[in-house]
Amino acid sequence: MGAKAKKVIIGMSGGVDSAVAAYLLKRDGYNVTGLFMHNWEEDGECPATQDWRDVQSVGEKLGIQVYSVNFAAAYMDGVFDYFLREYRAFRTPNPDVLCNRIIKFGAFRDYCATLGADYIATGHYCRRNGDMLYKAVDGNKDQSYFLNQVLTEQLGNVLFPLGDMIKPQVRALADELGLSVAKKKDSTGVCFIGERKFKKFLSAYLPAQPGDIADTAGNVVGRHDGLMYYTLGQRRGLGIGGVKGAAGRWFVLAKDVEHNRLIVSCGDESELYSSVVEGTDFNVIGGGDFSGEIRCTAKTRYRQPDRAATLTMLDGGKYRLVFDEPQRAVTPGQYAVVYLGDRCLGGGVIERTGE
């Protein structure tokens, strides 16, 4: 790229993906700087402490400068408050989606602009072509689902170095380079908060309201710890395995918020399935005319395979998605994400379901 190499600031998490992405950018001639985002504050040693040490280790190995920046206030106001509001409303949120829009492609991108960055980069498994977002080559690791709320203008100068790689290649390259994070376990849990004992963590912010677990006939079959701890279709952790019921295992069917009851069923799952999804805040990534009915594929959770559907855009960011076949446990508060082939068109919050 010559004497004046383009300046790239890459978000580094302390994991293997962003470490290899940083290496690839440097290999390709960019002037690379790593930036670690410290977005969650608590007393004592926390996962972020070790992650920052790992970023420093990788920076030294690759010969790039790395810095740490604190976006904790923006994370609390824009992401964690939303997370609590949704649980308070007894819905099941996906804070990682909002975290990408507000922090990784919002606060981080804006901060990098003040440092004179020509580009920003992340270790996400996805691809960009112009103003359009596409799935990664690695279908098992594709993360376009989590970017469905990122605005078109936020992607204008973003690089995704891992979009054409598969995870085993990334780990093998990290090992070949002698990076300390080559075998580090992938992070899970809430974005920037990490793995937690969920009930204990959530109860520190929201008081639990225990109540009855009842079957569809109204018979009380157990007690729940608080409606916020459960999600539609859930089978484990109900504590009613020994209660006599119909053939099959108990699963969560609905939440009766008015009476603070968790409604469960046993056996037939037909009531868990729905073909129609309606929602709000549909974000379209990239250009195009999407009036009328649009044939597409879609998913309502990250690990779900894409399913054939028809999308209709409505006024005010509302949408209606009709699947060709009913889908299991479509959950309000989650996101329905729409694809046109490999292109991620965007997505919206799920508000309600129907037949």
Side-chain angles (χ1 to χ4, degrees):
M1 287 194 179
K4 294 184 178 179
K6 293 292 186 179
K7 182 176 182 178
V8 180
I9 300 180
I10 180 169
M12 297 187 69
S13 65
V16 66
D17 293 331
S18 57
V20 170
Y23 163 76
L24 293 173
L25 292 167
K26 184 179 179 182
R27 182 200 65 183
D28 290 344
Y30 290 99
N31 176 9
V32 182
T33 298
L35 196 62
F36 175 79
M37 289 172 272
H38 189 90
N39 297 330
W40 183 255
E41 294 182 329
E42 60 186 349
D43 296 331
E45 185 90 357
C46 66
T49 304
Q50 182 58 51
D51 291 338
W52 169 233
R53 291 183 188 133
D54 290 336
V55 168
Q56 291 174 302
S57 172
V58 169
E60 183 177 357
K61 185 72 175 179
L62 296 181
I64 64 173
Q65 290 186 311
V66 296
Y67 301 95
S68 175
V69 62
N70 192 310
F71 293 137
Y75 182 85
M76 181 62 72
D77 292 343
V79 180
F80 195 64
D81 281 355
Y82 150 82
F83 173 84
L84 295 180
R85 284 197 308 272
E86 287 290 279
Y87 273 110
R88 195 176 287 117
F90 306 109
R91 289 161 43 119
T92 304
N94 192 324
D96 290 12
V97 170
L98 200 60
C99 182
N100 278 319
R101 176 161 157 173
I102 292 177
I103 303 299
K104 295 178 183 177
F105 298 91
F108 170 72
R109 183 176 185 272
D110 294 342
Y111 183 79
C112 291
T114 69
L115 300 179
D118 296 300
Y119 299 99
I120 67 168
T122 73
H124 284 100
Y125 286 83
C126 54
R127 295 175 294 159
R128 180 181 69 87
N129 186 358
D131 64 357
M132 298 182 188
L133 181 69
Y134 290 85
K135 292 180 180 180
V137 168
D138 189 340
N140 290 322
K141 292 298 295 182
D142 172 60
Q143 292 172 302
S144 59
Y145 176 92
F146 295 111
L147 272 62
N148 79 83
Q149 289 293 297
V150 174
L151 304 176
T152 302
E153 55 266 30
Q154 291 178 312
L155 291 172
N157 66 336
V158 178
L159 302 175
F160 295 117
L162 304 185
D164 294 318
M165 298 184 71
I166 61 174
K167 184 71 177 210
Q169 290 176 319
V170 171
R171 287 210 180 271
L173 181 54
D175 190 53
E176 179 184 329
L177 295 169
L179 300 182
S180 59
V181 296
K183 294 181 172 60
K184 186 175 179 179
K185 180 182 176 183
D186 289 344
S187 62
T188 58
V190 179
C191 185
F192 289 115
I193 296 176
E195 295 182 43
R196 305 286 174 135
K197 293 183 178 179
F198 183 70
K199 285 187 179 181
K200 181 179 180 181
F201 175 74
L202 194 57
S203 65
Y205 297 91
L206 297 176
Q209 298 178 347
D212 290 334
I213 300 177
D215 63 18
T216 53
N219 301 308
V220 175
V221 296
R223 295 281 291 175
H224 67 75
D225 297 325
L227 293 180
M228 61 186 174
Y229 297 133
Y230 304 86
T231 189
L232 299 186
Q234 179 178 332
R235 291 183 177 278
R236 296 182 177 180
L238 302 182
I240 54 175
V243 179
K244 186 177 180 180
R249 296 170 57 196
W250 294 102
F251 58 87
V252 175
L253 180 62
K255 297 179 182 181
D256 180 355
V257 176
E258 182 180 357
H259 300 100
N260 191 29
R261 278 190 166 193
L262 188 70
I263 308 302
V264 297
S265 187
C266 193
D268 181 18
E269 289 193 345
S270 60
E271 292 180 271
L272 268 183
Y273 283 77
S274 50
S275 298
V276 179
V277 176
E278 295 179 340
T280 58
D281 300 324
F282 197 98
N283 174 56
V284 176
I285 301 173
D289 178 11
F290 301 108
S291 58
E293 295 186 344
I294 305 160
R295 288 296 293 169
C296 61
T297 60
K299 60 176 67 180
T300 59
R301 65 178 65 86
Y302 172 48
R303 289 297 183 186
Q304 177 188 23
D306 293 4
R307 301 300 187 193
T310 299
L311 173 70
T312 304
M313 300 289 198
L314 306 173
D315 292 338
K318 296 181 180 180
Y319 70 94
R320 178 180 172 88
L321 190 62
V322 181
F323 285 94
D324 289 7
E325 297 180 358
Q327 304 299 303
R328 183 183 185 277
V330 179
T331 305
Q334 294 284 297
Y335 290 86
V337 180
V338 173
Y339 294 88
L340 302 177
D342 281 344
R343 177 186 174 185
C344 178
L345 181 62
V349 180
I350 298 168
E351 297 290 342
R352 64 192 65 84
T353 62
E355 297 302 322

